Amino acid sequence: MVNKNEKLVFDVIVVGAGLAGSAAAVTAARGGLNVVMVERGVAPGSKNYFGGALYTHSLLDIYPDFFDRKPPLERPVTETGFWFLSKDGMVRMTVQGGKINNNPIDAYVAQRAKFDAWWAEQARKEGVFLIPKTVVVDFIRENGKVVGVMTDRAQGEIYAPVVIVCEGVNNLLTQKLGLIKHDFKGNATALAVKQLISLPAETINTRLGLRSSDEGLAISVVGDVSMGLPGLGFLYTGKDSLSLGVGVTLDALSAAQIKPYELLQRYLNHPMIAPLIAGGQLMEYGAHLIPEGGWSTMPQLYTDGVMVAGDAASMVNAMHWEGTNMAITAGKAAGETAVEAHKKGDFSANTLSAYRKRLENTFVLKDLHQYRNMSRFLHNHPEFMDVYPNFLNDALGMFFTGFGKPKKQLYSDILKSLTSRRPLLKAVGDMVAFGRTVMGI
Amino acid sequence: MFHALVSIKQVPDTTNIRIDPETNNLIRQGVPTILNPYDAHAVAAAVEWKRKLGGQVTVITMGPASAVTSLRECIEMGADRAILISDRKFAGADTWATSYVLSEVIKAIHAEQPIDLVFFGKQAIDGDTAQVGPGVAVRLDLPIITYAVKIHEVDLQNRKVVIERKTESRNEVIRASLPAALTCEKEIAEIPYASLPDLVYSLRYEPELWTTEGPISFDPTQLGLRGSPTTVFKTGTPEKHKGGEVIKTAELGVEGAVRTALDKILAVEGMASLLGVSK
Ligand SMILES: Cc1cc2nc3c(=O)[nH]c(=O)nc-3n(C[C@H](O)[C@H](O)[C@H](O)COP(=O)(O)OP(=O)(O)OC[C@H]3O[C@@H](n4cnc5c(N)ncnc54)[C@H](O)[C@@H]3O)c2cc1C
């Protein structure tokens, strides 16, 4: 039995038992290190919230037998794409079968409260020691070097020569280290609000055209859902629930004086959306920030004795809803680097710089760099949330009702519905600029 | 040396429970389990007095294997020893059979190391019967103080305890001889925020497992469903409260409204004679 007065000393401290944290912890444990993971929630996942979908490649990367472990997943994503909302209509552009019909499927809908608890439990099975219900409030430094962390409990010190900070979007510890000088900025941080609505599986299947509960949707919703503000809505199918939410940047919300829950209510009342959730029961209502700035708001990723991974390091590609996989990949890279540092017996920034080098060879830093101007671009081009979704609705609507009309007139009307909103040259310019920003050229 | 024993239960978090509108049954699926809140306060009180007097707090629970998390929570609060009484043969026990098993276990622990006070929560939030504490006390022939809100004094020398209990109309301060049993309200003590070493200790703590195989033996006819005389023949949800009748002063004037209200009250059978007025 343990001695109550023993000093708590480990090889590695991981702060936060989210997706990044448990990936970092298990990787370090596999390298033979004695790992402690500190989580402020009652259980891992109790504080975490997302849309959303997890991506198979990252899950298999940590657990090659991932699916045999019976993870708590909701549904595979067998249909995905965009729904463009106008005020009272919608254009659906989704893909199913074909290139997304892979084995295993590339993305799975999950609920974080269940999934993160399970994800942390897998790490515990490989020897990670989890301390829940405890907040890390600061670092312990000796001679200017980080040698451990301070928690909010009496006699709350934990010592280790290396700390992996996976604290999520509220990156207070990252700020304490001076790795970033300020909170994530309001123009690069989205506030997402969502409702989880329970409905019988058969009802979901019928309403959304799914053949069985082994099929599911992941939809990005564009247009009226954000009232033209820079942001996106989403819809994901759970086993017997629907997750619907909308995220808009903080600056845009405050400039437009719109309350996030009003935005969500408006989305849920939309004539194309309301029938999908009719009769459902509200199970959860929550909000969470998304650090959408990516590259432009990324802190320094390491310093003497510390590495930062996941949302805390602004590792989100908002355009593709990629955050969880970046967090997992980065957590793993940080775990590997901690193992390497222990082999060398050197925890200096110089040694830990290998963490960043690892990430440079993955999609994480490559994509964040490529999309580096994305959030600024959307901020400056609200047309993409307003003009084009509406035009798309009008254009298709006119095209498919133009019966008995001379078609020349039809096309000129369609063109007019664009040019009355945005001059043609500007529209062409928008598309070119969009292409450039996405492709990073 | 003070020896307190606390009997606890792991319960579904009823604040999260929903009722199936069709069948009227609780939907237990996916509902997290917690340490029964009243029991948590009972543990806190026991630990508080252990710290004052020196001694030991032993926690026991009869329940499924998953109840170890609740026992660990008690260790985190400062309890010293935890015992899980778990066996499929105990399953389906009502309050009668439960109090039998608990009292046998308490007897055995008492024989090892005499117990001064046996703590219970005032009731479990899933069953709300409030019967197990008094049931155990009767089986062990202990004085029982229910709805305790404050322990004024524990006098180990003179073998007495002074405890304040809540009733519907007032509080009573009661003296009892030791050993005694009490069931606790939340006011009895605040839940402490454990130090990090205490938390870490609790996370690594493995409770003892007691089964029908040992270390003590039970009368098999008293266990589980077989030992439970209670039969639940029907459950349901209480009818929803209907809104009251509104008497509008705008229509009747104040006097008219009061008159109407009074007439309605006095029209209730037996009301007039109860109030000593004539219609
Ligand atoms: C509405 C919404 C929808 C999203 N949809 C998707 C999607 O579909 N697909 C996708 O890939 N990504 C999605 N994301 C992004 C994704 O959720 C995040 O990128 C991901 O959760 C980041 O993981 P993380 O481990 O870095 O941080 P988190 O998951 O936030 O974990 C941080 C953990 O650290 C703990 N913690 C924080 N501070 C402390 C402290 N001081 N002491 C102790 N513990 C602490 C927290 O309690 C938490 O458990 C979405 C996000 C939102 C908000």
Side-chain angles (χ1 to χ4, degrees):
Chain A
M1 186 105 311
V2 276
N3 175 354
K4 276 202 189 184
N5 296 317
E6 109 194 280
K7 183 170 155 183
L8 293 171
V9 184
F10 293 84
D11 297 328
V12 186
I13 299 165
V14 176
V15 182
L19 296 161
S22 289
V26 77
T27 306
R30 284 173 184 170
L33 302 184
N34 189 10
V35 184
V36 64
M37 177 158 68
V38 188
E39 165 58 43
R40 68 182 168 163
V42 178
S46 60
K47 300 261 184 194
N48 303 347
Y49 216 49
F50 87 147
L54 300 167
Y55 305 114
T56 308
H57 76 95
S58 58
L59 307 166
L60 289 175
D61 191 27
I62 306 293
Y63 300 104
D65 61 346
F66 176 78
F67 289 102
D68 302 332
R69 294 171 176 244
K70 304 217 173 350
L73 299 169
E74 295 289 315
R75 292 182 188 229
V77 175
T78 55
E79 180 179 346
T80 184
F82 291 104
W83 288 1
F84 297 97
L85 288 191
S86 66
K87 204 169 114 296
D88 50 5
M90 130 161 100
V91 171
R92 295 185 181 196
M93 190 174 88
T94 64
V95 54
Q96 48 184 309
K99 286 235 181 305
I100 75 161
N101 184 23
N102 297 319
N103 184 19
I105 296 291
D106 295 86
Y108 282 81
V109 177
Q111 287 172 20
R112 294 290 298 279
K114 286 185 211 157
F115 187 83
D116 289 15
W118 179 87
W119 186 240
E121 189 53 35
Q122 306 310 300
R124 286 187 47 188
K125 282 187 187 154
E126 299 195 34
V128 171
F129 185 59
L130 172 71
I131 302 182
K133 301 186 278 191
T134 303
V135 185
V136 172
V137 291
D138 207 346
F139 296 91
I140 308 171
R141 295 179 179 78
E142 272 168 23
N143 307 321
K145 273 204 318 217
V146 170
V147 294
V149 299
M150 194 65 212
T151 67
D152 63 338
R153 291 180 180 271
Q155 299 158 267
E157 300 89 354
I158 310 174
Y159 294 89
V162 55
V163 181
I164 305 175
V165 175
C166 306
E167 60 180 335
V169 63
N170 291 313
N171 59 356
L172 301 174
L173 295 170
T174 308
Q175 293 179 43
K176 274 221 157 103
L177 287 169
L179 296 178
I180 192 165
K181 297 285 177 284
H182 40 72
D183 286 341
F184 287 130
K185 293 203 181 98
N187 61 11
T189 306
L191 178 63
V193 278
K194 96 162 192 188
Q195 288 193 8
L196 189 73
I197 295 164
S198 102
L199 279 167
E202 307 79 64
T203 309
I204 293 175
N205 296 346
T206 320
R207 288 183 185 175
L208 291 164
L210 301 167
R211 274 169 293 241
S212 75
S213 302
D214 295 325
E215 298 194 341
L217 290 185
I219 303 295
S220 294
V221 184
V222 190
D224 188 69
V225 63
S226 68
M227 295 178 73
L229 302 174
L232 281 178
F234 56 81
L235 179 150
Y236 293 91
T237 48
K239 275 202 188 86
D240 40 21
S241 64
L242 290 177
S243 159
L244 294 103
V246 51
V248 170
T249 59
L250 290 171
D251 278 4
L253 279 175
S254 89
Q257 297 274 313
I258 295 173
K259 300 193 178 66
Y261 57 84
E262 288 170 0
L263 206 58
L264 178 57
Q265 209 48 57
R266 210 173 148 273
Y267 171 35
L268 299 180
N269 288 337
H270 189 282
M272 298 294 113
I273 301 295
L276 301 177
I277 55 174
Q281 205 180 5
L282 178 63
M283 301 286 290
E284 279 178 23
Y285 191 111
H288 203 280
L289 295 172
I290 311 177
E292 294 193 332
W295 187 269
S296 63
T297 50
M298 192 179 300
Q300 202 182 309
L301 295 181
Y302 58 90
T303 180
D304 287 319
V306 184
M307 292 173 272
V308 186
D311 272 11
S314 192
M315 293 172 180
V316 169
N317 182 340
M319 181 80 187
H320 292 260
W321 290 109
E322 281 181 278
T324 59
N325 54 345
M326 292 199 168
I328 291 169
T329 302
K332 184 182 177 200
E336 287 167 351
T337 309
V339 173
E340 206 172 81
H342 266 278
K343 283 204 181 109
K344 278 169 90 183
D346 175 10
F347 306 95
S348 65
N350 193 22
T351 300
L352 300 186
S353 68
Y355 165 51
R356 192 186 164 105
K357 295 223 179 65
R358 280 193 164 84
L359 283 183
E360 278 166 3
N361 292 322
T362 67
F363 75 107
V364 177
L365 287 190
K366 285 189 179 146
D367 285 2
L368 290 176
H369 184 256
Q370 179 175 325
Y371 282 76
R372 65 194 174 279
N373 296 321
M374 198 68 211
S375 76
R376 188 174 347 125
F377 176 83
L378 289 179
H379 210 78
N380 296 334
H381 287 80
E383 309 82 60
F384 284 93
M385 309 297 156
D386 178 11
V387 171
Y388 300 120
N390 278 317
F391 167 65
L392 206 56
N393 273 275
D394 283 0
L396 283 177
M398 288 154 88
F399 186 89
F400 289 108
T401 54
F403 311 114
K405 253 191 225 167
K407 298 301 175 280
K408 193 161 184 197
Q409 183 60 41
L410 174 69
Y411 288 117
S412 126
D413 287 349
I414 289 179
L415 193 62
K416 225 181 276 161
S417 97
L418 174 65
T419 51
S420 65
R421 293 182 166 109
R422 188 90 175 147
L424 198 53
L425 269 180
K426 283 230 155 132
V428 173
D430 289 344
M431 294 306 150
V432 172
F434 180 76
R436 281 201 170 148
T437 311
V438 170
M439 287 177 261
I441 28 178
Chain B
M1 289 281 270
F2 175 59
H3 186 196
L5 183 134
V6 194
S7 179
I8 63 130
K9 184 180 185 189
Q10 187 175 53
V11 293
D13 187 351
T14 50
T15 51
N16 273 318
I17 277 194
R18 288 170 307 125
I19 291 171
D20 187 318
E22 313 255 293
T23 63
N24 266 345
N25 284 334
L26 295 184
I27 305 173
R28 285 195 180 224
Q29 194 202 359
V31 176
T33 53
I34 54 168
L35 170 59
N36 182 42
Y38 298 107
D39 302 355
H41 289 268
V43 174
V47 167
E48 198 178 294
W49 281 88
K50 172 194 85 166
R51 296 210 162 123
K52 272 186 210 163
L53 303 170
Q56 188 181 335
V57 174
T58 303
V59 181
I60 64 172
T61 189
M62 184 177 93
S66 63
V68 294
T69 53
S70 290
L71 289 174
R72 288 205 181 100
E73 222 175 291
C74 300
I75 298 287
E76 177 189 334
M77 282 193 253
D80 303 277
R81 178 184 182 194
I83 299 170
L84 173 67
I85 309 153
S86 191
D87 199 306
R88 288 180 56 183
K89 295 195 178 117
F90 297 137
D94 66 0
T95 54
W96 177 268
T98 302
S99 62
Y100 165 72
V101 172
L102 294 176
S103 56
E104 290 303 302
V105 169
I106 294 170
K107 261 188 234 166
I109 296 170
H110 185 70
E112 264 176 52
Q113 186 190 353
I115 296 165
D116 301 302
L117 273 179
V118 180
F119 290 75
F120 299 87
K122 80 161 173 184
Q123 66 201 46
I125 59 170
D126 56 347
D128 282 334
T129 66
Q131 290 168 359
V132 170
V136 171
V138 169
R139 286 178 184 273
L140 296 174
D141 199 17
L142 295 176
I144 171 84
I145 297 159
T146 49
Y147 306 105
V149 291
K150 188 172 179 181
I151 302 173
H152 286 274
E153 195 187 341
V154 179
D155 186 344
L156 295 176
Q157 227 98 61
N158 300 307
R159 309 297 301 150
K160 68 169 176 99
V161 63
V162 181
I163 292 175
E164 186 170 338
R165 71 186 291 266
K166 188 154 92 179
T167 73
E168 274 184 9
S169 53
R170 63 200 162 166
N171 282 10
E172 299 169 350
V173 180
I174 290 182
R175 180 180 304 132
S177 60
L178 291 178
L182 67 160
T183 74
C184 301
E185 293 274 1
K186 290 186 180 175
E187 298 96 303
I188 194 103
E190 282 196 18
I191 309 285
Y193 192 55
S195 71
L196 188 61
D198 280 356
L199 174 62
V200 167
Y201 176 82
S202 75
L203 292 170
R204 290 172 167 160
Y205 182 89
E206 278 305 327
E208 292 163 45
L209 178 64
W210 290 26
T211 67
T212 52
E213 316 268 285
I216 62 169
S217 51
F218 300 92
D219 172 0
T221 63
Q222 300 269 9
L223 301 181
L225 266 183
R226 199 171 150 205
S228 298
T230 316
T231 353
V232 178
F233 58 92
K234 191 175 170 214
T235 58
T237 33
E239 251 182 56
K240 272 217 175 117
H241 224 68
K242 296 207 180 78
E245 191 182 332
V246 179
I247 301 168
K248 290 192 171 140
T249 50
E251 283 164 19
L252 304 170
V254 175
E255 210 164 306
V258 172
R259 185 73 239 168
T260 314
L262 277 178
D263 286 347
K264 282 184 188 288
I265 292 168
L266 292 175
V268 174
E269 176 107 351
M271 187 60 82
S273 63
L274 187 74
L275 296 176
V277 294
S278 67
K279 295 191 191 177

